Each structure stands twice: as C-alpha cells, then as structure tokens.
Amino acid sequence: VFISLKDFNNASILFVNREVGLIDGLDWCIVEDFLSKYRKDELDCLPLVYDIPNGCEALVSARLDCDQSVINTKPLVELYKKYNIDLSLAIAVGININDKEIEYLNSFFDNGGAILSHSKNHYEFWGENYEIAFNEAKESKEWLEQNIKNIKSLKYAVSPFHSNKPYSMQALKDAGYDGVISGIIHNDPEYLVSTSGIVPFVKGDLVTHSQQCMLHGDCYHRRNNSIEIYKESFKNHYNSKKIFGYLDHPFGKYDYGWNSEKERLEVHREFIEYINSFEGVKWATAVEMLQFVYDKSTVKINIDENDNITLYRESYKSPEQIVVEYKGNIYVC
C-alpha cells in the first residue's frame, strides 16, 4: 500500500508509505486537500495558500538559460513575442559577453523581457563552499546591475545545473536575492518541492520554485519527435493548480539535440499553442512568477476561535491577488 486513509471518531490519518512523503510531486495536492478541508465540519483544518494567483487557472513561465550564448536567444525571443509572451533570460555573466550582446540585453529588458542571474562561472551548487557561492551570487548580481541600465536591483536567480546545497541558498540570501529557481536534475531533496515557497535551512525569507521541464531536442527526438510528454506535464500542473515552468538553452558549443533552429522554433510554437488552448492560462516572466511566490509565501493568516479568518499581506512585489482556501471557503487578498 502506497497511500491510505483511516478515519476515527475524532481524527483522520493520511498515511504515505514513502519516507519523504509527497512533497516533491504533484500528488502533494492530495495532502493539501486533506489538511485544508477533509472532514471540515468535524475536524480542525489548516488554510491552503494557492500556488497560482486569483483569476486564472494556470501560471506559466518560460525561460532560456544562457550559459553559452546570449545573442542566440533572439529567434526564440521573437517567436514568443509574436504570442505576446515575454521570455526570461538567466545569464551566466562569466561567458565573455561582448558589447553587442550587452546592447541586446538592454533592448530585451526594456521591451518587457526578464533577466535573472545564472551565477558567474556556472559552478555546481554555485561553488563548493559558502564563500565561493556567495561571490558567484554577488558578482553576477553586480555585473547585471551595472550593465543592464534600467534593471536597478536584481533579486532573482536560476541555479546552475539546477542544483543547490543549504549553504548555496544562504549565500544567495546574504548576497541580496529574494528568490531562486531550482530543479530536479541533481535531485536536491531539501529544495525539490512541487509547491513553491520559502526554502528551509536559511536565515531570512528566500523563495524557490522547482521547474522540472527542459524542452530540449534530444528529449524531443527520444520521444519520436513528439512533445506529448511535455503536454502531459503541463496538463498535470494545470489540473493540480501548480505553477508550470519550462526552459531551453540558446545554441552555443552544444545544440542540446536540436537539428536546427527551424526545428526548435516549430516545436516551441506547437507547445505554446497547446498551452494556450487551455482556459485561464496566464503567462508570466520568471521574475513576475517569483515575485508572486514571495508575496503569497509571506502572507500572514489569523484564525480566531470562531473560525473567522483574516489575511495580512505584508509584501506587494506582485500586483496579483493571493488566494487562500480554508474549510472549502475561498479568501482573497
């Protein structure tokens, strides 16, 4: 038995036969439903803060991780713009970015695109210890703030290799970041979470979101030139009301299995149109997504002895409204 439910007169137990529980998968929504509204008229419950904003059915973010090239993002940026979607670029600043590319990044940013740090040298875990990780985070942040003239204060990052250690996260917070996108490729159990939120083992509020979907040519070809598995992933996130993020890389020394730019553009086009075929989809940049995650993760909730609930929103980094469910009732702030 993997999962079971046992009811008693004054209690219920949801048993998951897995040491880490369900926190890293979309089936975590089973736990959320259980805690927030199961036997709500008989037992105490916990409020559930939704992973997506009020007024939409899905929050989607697409990005390119620039650890080899910056200028080669242009074809995909232009494709997404045709669908009124702003891409996000995560920049590893140590890849010898020239003046032409800096000019391009400024134009990209001024036209609605989002820029995040992807470290300086793209070390695994941001470096082998806290000191290296802190310098990687600090120097990449400073480079971007100095060279992207309207960026003012850079607060968000994408982890190199999507990998982190507790010291990596502390280094990011100490270097002035509010949020970081992580992932699954190196399977960091502390920071592999299906529902976005504040990370553990860090002094200060730092939020994360695990993005588990890399749209690469080698994956596409292994599936017999099909994106059905990507469609399935999006549909599962949609039905679970979880943020969906995916990525690709611009061409550089490696082509990530794509046969050509033309092939890649057609695949991305197909995926965009599939996502847009669903009702209530809201596209956001990775920065906008993390700003919302920060806001909804720091909201304060008070429940009095009569089950009246009050929400206190302390952060307004995002204009989006936060949704809280408690005993089957919906509250918005």
Side-chain angles (χ1 to χ4, degrees), residues 300-333:
K300 299 296 186 292
I301 303 170
N302 181 68
I303 302 170
D304 67 19
E305 63 274 8
N306 297 316
D307 257 358
N308 297 312
I309 185 169
T310 307
L311 308 180
Y312 300 92
R313 180 168 176 171
E314 297 182 341
S315 175
Y316 287 86
K317 297 179 185 296
S318 168
E320 303 293 341
Q321 290 183 310
I322 300 161
V323 180
V324 176
E325 181 178 351
Y326 180 61
K327 292 193 171 184
N329 297 314
I330 299 298
Y331 305 85
V332 177
C333 68

Side-chain angles (χ1 to χ4, degrees), residues 169-188:
M169 293 297 201
Q170 189 64 62
L172 284 165
K173 185 60 186 177
D174 292 345
Y177 291 82
D178 287 335
V180 57
I181 294 172
S182 53
I184 64 168
I185 194 166
H186 285 260
N187 223 0
D188 314 292

Side-chain angles (χ1 to χ4, degrees), residues 21 27 82 86 114 206:
D27 42 6
K82 290 178 181 178
D86 289 313
L206 181 76

